[in-house]
Amino acid sequence: MATRGVDIIKFLMRQGVMLKINDVIDNDTAELVATEFGHTVRRVSEADVEEGFIGAEDVDDHLLPRPPVVAVMGHVDHGKTSLLDALRSADVASGEHGGITQHIGAYQVRLESGESVTFLDTPGHAAFSAMRARGADVTDIVVLVVAADDGVMPQTIEAIQHAKASGAPIIVAINKIDKPGADPTRVINELLQHEIVAESLGGDTQMIQVSATQKMGLDDLIEAILLQAQLMDLKANPDRTADGVVIEAKLDRGRGAVSTVLVKRGTLKRGDIVVAGSNFGRVRALFNERDEQLPSAGPSVPVEILGLDGTPAPGEAFAVVENEARARELTDYRTRLKREKAGAPTNAGVTMADFMAKLQDKKVSELPVIIKADVQGSAEAIVGSLDKIGTDEVRARIILSGAGAISESDVMLAKGANSPILGFNVRASSQARQLAEREGVEIRYYSVIYDLLDDIKGVLSGMLAPEQRETFLGNAEVLQVFDITKVGRVAGCKVTEGTVRKGARVRIIRKDIVVLELGTLQTLKRFKDEVNEVQSGQECGMFFQGFQDIKEGDTIECFTLEEVKRSL
Ligand code: GDP
């Protein structure tokens, strides 16, 4: 404002606010001061850098038809992977050179008719919901695979819920109809209970009988998809700067960060500057699922891009920005936001609630872990599942999770945090391995997520404090108390219930109130002899080391304590 600080201090003083030159004032005061000094104020926030990242909606007259994007979901083992594989063979170029060869997380099947369909090659709805959770609804149509010999199963229902929540129409692929036990009618009827009504029953859901392994009914399924797509009138404007969604990202030894993205609108070109999450870079090359280099990719086209400075998370939105400065501005802001969120806890402004939470946190045993996986998606899936295993008492604390080989810096981090490194489908570089050996850092490798989870579950179970289980043995009543020189007070008792055993734990109860819980019963006598056990109805003598206040009429309860290991 080109105003001297003292003038502002003076002004504030007149308003009754005493401040020093370095003090911070809030927005409202600042606005008041600025206005008072003759300036016009426009409020902006740091988050404003996000504005315009994803461009405005397309206007109608530029829109051209685009291929549908299809996700395949269903219960485990119902044939999602097999169906995706089978659908590749529907491609015109399949079998010849140029067929779909690469796994890039999504692929486009080109049909003889000239039309194409984009499939998300990420079976299981974990990826689908991860994308949805980030507001990235890329899926136009959900193909729900249900095995005809198994019917509707828990994950089928889950998939239905996910699809319904996303608003994507469902096409049911009744799979494995080649099997002897196949019963498509049963599937159709079971789906009725979940409000999926087949066209044959007057509903609006197409149900196609297929066999993924025998390649039966695939044409019908594709036709159903195209029909549904036609109904939806899917369109996008190819003539604008591109935006879309990250499908997956990984670090490749030779090529650096490789991200598969799906273009939603516009056309992504080589040389474009792309921002995805908190990563950015100039697109050096685009590859499709046939390992062909492309100059550009239009709506609904999945491509692998090289050139980003890191691996963005699946489901993160990407967009082309006008220049590098803008890209830096955006990613700097996002990185800062992320850091603040993960945040080193600030000491200032700790509330009592925070404090209590911290105190209670002390009781939580945490297992620190570092997770490295082949792709960002697997790392996220593992983190998500580990979160679910945790309880109020024990949980895994993720120090770091990410994609790529295990590096020396991971090992050093693990050493500092005293944590093991869990490698999922990745290996440690030889330097990292040697360093780990030197530093005594454990690296465990897995190729099946469930194995990893089971392992961690085992460790966490071991961290659970054992449960103390009490078993009642018997009660004795004190009939008389004798003072015996050199020994002390001995209680003459009668066992009224159960048995009393030497070495068992005892507590003394007076008028139904526990007066004392002693350690173990050391001395138990019947007449003159030391005995191990006294049965109900018999009399005995007891001596309690260090407790002289025993009285007539007291009850002595005898019990055992057992430590029982718990598991998650
Ligand atoms: P996903 O877990 O849903 O991905 O299921 P998969 O695609 O891995 O298939 C599970 C099992 O079912 C595999 O052993 C497949 O060979 C088998 N399978 C899949 N589709 C068919 C089919 O149409 N007919 C028969 N007979 N078996 C199938």
Coordinates of all heavy atoms in Angstrom, one line a residue, residues 125-139 162 165-166 245 313-317 341 380:
H125 N -13.5 -53.6 -7.6 CA -14.1 -52.3 -7.5 C -13.3 -51.4 -6.6 O -13.6 -50.3 -6.4 CB -15.5 -52.3 -7.1 CG -15.9 -53.4 -6.2 ND1 -16.5 -54.5 -6.7 CD2 -15.8 -53.6 -4.9 CE1 -16.7 -55.4 -5.8 NE2 -16.2 -54.8 -4.7
A126 N -12.2 -51.9 -6.0 CA -11.3 -51.1 -5.2 C -10.8 -49.9 -6.0 O -11.0 -48.7 -5.6 CB -10.1 -51.9 -4.7
A127 N -10.3 -50.2 -7.2 CA -9.8 -49.1 -8.1 C -11.0 -48.1 -8.5 O -10.8 -46.9 -8.4 CB -9.2 -49.6 -9.3
F128 N -12.1 -48.7 -8.8 CA -13.3 -48.0 -9.2 C -13.7 -47.0 -8.1 O -13.9 -45.8 -8.3 CB -14.4 -49.0 -9.5 CG -15.7 -48.3 -9.9 CD1 -15.9 -47.9 -11.2 CD2 -16.7 -48.2 -9.0 CE1 -17.1 -47.3 -11.6 CE2 -17.9 -47.6 -9.4 CZ -18.1 -47.2 -10.7
S129 N -13.7 -47.5 -6.8 CA -14.2 -46.7 -5.8 C -13.1 -45.6 -5.4 O -13.4 -44.5 -5.0 CB -14.6 -47.4 -4.5 OG -14.2 -48.7 -4.6
A130 N -11.8 -46.0 -5.6 CA -10.8 -45.1 -5.3 C -10.9 -43.9 -6.2 O -10.8 -42.7 -5.8 CB -9.4 -45.7 -5.5
M131 N -11.3 -44.1 -7.5 CA -11.5 -43.0 -8.4 C -12.7 -42.2 -8.1 O -12.7 -41.0 -8.1 CB -11.7 -43.6 -9.8 CG -10.4 -44.1 -10.4 SD -10.6 -44.5 -12.1 CE -9.2 -45.6 -12.3
R132 N -13.8 -42.9 -7.7 CA -15.0 -42.2 -7.3 C -14.8 -41.4 -6.1 O -15.3 -40.2 -6.0 CB -16.1 -43.2 -7.1 CG -17.1 -43.3 -8.2 CD -18.2 -44.3 -7.9 NE -18.9 -43.9 -6.6 CZ -19.6 -42.8 -6.5 NH1 -19.8 -42.0 -7.5 NH2 -20.2 -42.5 -5.4
A133 N -14.0 -41.9 -5.2 CA -13.7 -41.2 -3.9 C -13.1 -39.8 -4.2 O -13.2 -38.9 -3.5 CB -12.9 -42.0 -3.0
R134 N -12.3 -39.8 -5.3 CA -11.7 -38.5 -5.7 C -12.5 -37.7 -6.7 O -12.1 -36.8 -7.3 CB -10.3 -38.8 -6.3 CG -9.3 -39.4 -5.4 CD -7.9 -39.0 -5.7 NE -7.0 -39.6 -4.8 CZ -6.6 -40.8 -4.8 NH1 -7.0 -41.7 -5.7 NH2 -5.8 -41.2 -3.8
G135 N -13.8 -38.2 -6.8 CA -14.7 -37.4 -7.7 C -14.4 -37.6 -9.1 O -14.7 -36.8 -10.0
A136 N -13.7 -38.7 -9.4 CA -13.4 -39.0 -10.8 C -14.3 -40.0 -11.4 O -13.9 -41.2 -11.5 CB -11.9 -39.4 -10.9
D137 N -15.4 -39.6 -11.8 CA -16.4 -40.6 -12.4 C -16.1 -40.7 -13.9 O -16.6 -40.1 -14.7 CB -17.8 -40.1 -12.2 CG -18.4 -40.7 -10.9 OD1 -18.0 -41.8 -10.6 OD2 -19.3 -40.0 -10.4
V138 N -15.2 -41.6 -14.2 CA -14.9 -41.8 -15.6 C -15.7 -42.9 -16.2 O -15.8 -42.9 -17.4 CB -13.4 -42.1 -15.9 CG1 -12.5 -40.9 -15.8 CG2 -12.9 -43.2 -14.9
T139 N -16.3 -43.7 -15.4 CA -16.9 -44.9 -15.9 C -18.3 -44.5 -16.4 O -19.1 -44.0 -15.7 CB -17.1 -46.0 -14.8 OG1 -15.8 -46.2 -14.3 CG2 -17.6 -47.3 -15.4
H162 N -21.9 -49.9 -5.6 CA -21.0 -48.9 -6.2 C -21.5 -48.4 -7.5 O -21.5 -47.2 -7.7 CB -19.6 -49.6 -6.4 CG -18.8 -49.7 -5.2 ND1 -18.4 -48.7 -4.5 CD2 -18.4 -50.8 -4.5 CE1 -17.7 -49.1 -3.4 NE2 -17.7 -50.4 -3.5
A165 N -24.4 -46.1 -6.9 CA -24.0 -44.8 -6.3 C -23.4 -43.9 -7.4 O -23.5 -42.7 -7.3 CB -23.0 -45.0 -5.2
S166 N -22.7 -44.5 -8.3 CA -22.1 -43.7 -9.4 C -23.0 -43.2 -10.5 O -22.7 -42.4 -11.3 CB -20.9 -44.4 -10.0 OG -21.4 -45.4 -10.9
V245 N -8.4 -38.2 -16.2 CA -8.1 -38.8 -14.9 C -6.9 -39.7 -15.0 O -6.7 -40.4 -16.1 CB -9.4 -39.6 -14.5 CG1 -9.1 -40.5 -13.4 CG2 -10.5 -38.7 -14.2
A313 N -1.5 -40.2 -7.9 CA -2.3 -41.3 -7.4 C -3.5 -41.6 -8.4 O -3.9 -40.7 -9.0 CB -2.9 -40.9 -6.0
P314 N -3.9 -42.9 -8.4 CA -5.0 -43.2 -9.3 C -6.2 -42.4 -9.0 O -6.5 -42.2 -7.8 CB -5.3 -44.7 -9.1 CG -4.1 -45.2 -8.4 CD -3.4 -44.0 -7.7
G315 N -7.0 -42.0 -10.0 CA -8.2 -41.2 -9.7 C -8.0 -39.7 -9.6 O -8.9 -38.9 -9.6
E316 N -6.7 -39.3 -9.6 CA -6.4 -37.9 -9.5 C -6.7 -37.2 -10.9 O -6.5 -37.8 -11.9 CB -4.9 -37.7 -9.2 CG -4.5 -36.5 -8.5 CD -4.2 -36.7 -7.1 OE1 -3.2 -37.5 -6.8 OE2 -4.8 -36.1 -6.2
A317 N -7.3 -36.0 -10.8 CA -7.6 -35.4 -12.1 C -6.3 -34.8 -12.7 O -5.4 -34.4 -12.0 CB -8.6 -34.2 -11.8
K341 N -1.6 -31.1 5.7 CA -2.6 -32.1 6.1 C -2.0 -33.2 6.8 O -2.4 -33.7 7.9 CB -3.4 -32.6 4.9 CG -4.9 -32.4 5.0 CD -5.6 -33.2 3.9 CE -6.5 -32.3 3.1 NZ -6.9 -33.0 1.9
E380 N -1.9 -48.1 -2.4 CA -3.1 -47.5 -1.8 C -4.0 -48.6 -1.3 O -4.6 -48.5 -0.2 CB -3.9 -46.6 -2.8 CG -3.1 -45.3 -3.0 CD -4.0 -44.3 -3.7 OE1 -5.2 -44.6 -4.0 OE2 -3.4 -43.3 -4.1

